Amino acid sequence: MPRSPLQLLDGLLDEDGMQKAAHRFVLGGPFGAEPAEATAERLAHFADAGGLLVETSHSYAGGQAEAAVGAWLRANPGTLGVATKVGHDTTGGDIPLDRDTVFAHVRSALVNLGVEVIDVLLYHCDDPTRSVAELADTLVSLVDAGHVRRVGVSNWRAERLSELAAALVDRGHTPVASYQFSLAEPDPALLEGSLHADSAVLDVVRGHRLPLLGWSSQARGYFARTGPKEHHGKPDPYDTEDNRARRLRCRELAGQLGSRPETVALAWTLHHPGVWPSVGARTTAQIDNSLQARRLTLTEEQVHWLRHGR
């Protein structure tokens, strides 16, 4: 079986590799909740454009997302690497992260995805009833068993992330972090338990030199809109006074650069070393629009102005 792109590109998620990587986008999307043809078209387009990594979860689309991605991976082995997450049930609720449960979900993910090894395996959430040392040991044992190549976590509090990073480094591993990260900073009360990469998290990420997979890097399309939009019948967590001002600045700079506001916002994210933005494109055209951000080189002054307005 052909090897994963991440295995072929040794060190891609390490510090030196991240600085050299020409393609730092990760592809998400409604896998398992859309026709198989739409998933296949998007994955093929992303791979043809030089994409390396697709991300999903054991819980997405009522447990159907991994199998939807896996159907394409089986037909195109070694074309894209895959990151998946365990720790939620098919309703999105947290489950205990005991070793037996985690291993069972990983074995199921391997079957669903049709791969011999998962490139990046993340805890989807924390389990505060368990020590960081226990959770770190489970992750390392997954690598030792040959089930996964890289490990990490999503939605952990900064203090627990720092403890885990230190524990994994002591065991010979640098974890991958996964948090919401974009120019638009969400209202945390409206993120429904998910965590934004706030200053405390970013201090840990930078202090331990962790790769950061930044989900909702385009803030659910916020910069492409002109007004508020509900999300699943609930208020948009990104529609705040500060973010509205940032969106206006993106429009202004986009006009000067001959670009689009959402592309400028994504270029802002790419400006941060070690960040791999995850784009939830639903069409190949949206993939192409996202990739345009690679062609925008923002100055430090522009990056600061977009965020702070001064």
Side-chain angles (χ1 to χ4, degrees):
M1 175 179 288
R3 293 187 298 169
S4 155
L6 292 186
Q7 188 179 15
L8 291 169
L9 296 171
D10 290 334
L12 181 66
L13 290 174
D14 295 329
E15 188 175 11
D16 290 341
M18 287 189 290
Q19 304 309 318
K20 299 172 184 174
H23 199 307
R24 280 165 38 209
F25 287 106
V26 180
L27 184 65
F31 310 123
E34 63 180 358
E37 295 80 6
T39 291
E41 181 183 27
R42 232 172 32 260
L43 289 172
H45 191 80
F46 184 67
D48 288 344
L52 295 170
L53 187 63
V54 57
E55 65 97 8
T56 184
S57 169
H58 199 64
S59 65
Y60 288 169
Q64 300 302 307
E66 285 178 342
V69 173
W72 188 86
L73 293 177
R74 285 183 180 88
N76 302 273
T79 307
L80 286 172
V82 63
T84 193
K85 300 175 283 291
V86 296
H88 286 171
D89 61 24
T90 56
T91 70
D94 294 355
I95 60 173
L97 296 180
D98 61 278
R99 187 181 188 281
D100 289 346
T101 298
V102 171
F103 264 74
H105 278 218
V106 169
R107 285 191 290 267
S108 176
L110 288 166
V111 173
N112 291 338
L113 293 165
V115 296
E116 294 177 353
V117 186
I118 294 167
D119 297 289
V120 182
L121 187 283
L122 305 168
Y123 285 141
H124 211 154
C125 55
D126 193 2
D127 182 349
T129 68
R130 301 180 190 281
S131 70
V132 169
E134 176 189 343
L135 295 170
D137 284 340
T138 297
L139 291 176
V140 171
S141 65
L142 288 166
V143 178
D144 292 344
H147 294 330
V148 304
R149 293 191 175 93
R150 293 292 297 261
V151 294
V153 299
S154 182
N155 300 313
W156 279 39
R157 299 288 177 188
E159 58 275 11
R160 291 268 287 185
L161 175 65
S162 181
E163 189 178 346
L164 179 81
L168 285 173
V169 168
D170 285 346
R171 292 159 172 78
H173 300 271
T174 299
V176 176
S178 174
Y179 292 80
Q180 194 283 325
F181 183 76
S182 72
L183 176 59
E185 185 171 350
D187 179 346
L190 298 176
L191 272 187
E192 301 175 340
S194 298
L195 296 186
H196 169 71
D198 60 15
S199 58
V201 167
L202 290 177
D203 283 346
V204 176
V205 166
R206 291 163 182 159
H208 290 277
R209 296 179 174 145
L210 309 181
L212 174 63
L213 304 186
W215 53 266
S216 286
S217 61
Q218 295 173 302
R220 297 175 183 167
Y222 181 78
F223 292 98
R225 297 194 294 270
T226 57
K229 178 182 178 181
E230 290 187 344
H231 182 70
H232 298 311
K234 298 179 181 178
D236 183 353
Y238 300 100
D239 191 36
T240 67
E241 182 177 352
D242 285 343
N243 289 336
R244 288 191 287 272
R246 289 169 186 142
R247 185 165 60 185
L248 286 173
R249 291 194 288 272
C250 281
R251 286 187 202 144
E252 180 180 340
L253 186 55
Q256 297 171 13
L257 298 175
S259 185
R260 305 160 65 101
E262 63 270 29
T263 305
V264 170
L266 198 51
W268 180 93
T269 304
L270 281 176
H271 184 86
H272 295 74
V275 175
W276 289 67
S278 179
V279 294
R282 292 174 178 267
T283 66
T284 57
Q286 289 177 351
I287 291 174
D288 291 338
N289 287 340
S290 296
L291 297 182
Q292 291 293 324
R294 295 179 298 175
R295 299 182 180 145
L296 291 184
T297 301
L298 304 181
T299 67
E300 292 291 343
E301 292 76 15
Q302 288 169 330
V303 168
H304 189 271
W305 177 72
L306 286 170
R307 182 75 171 85
H308 302 287
R310 58 182 187 278

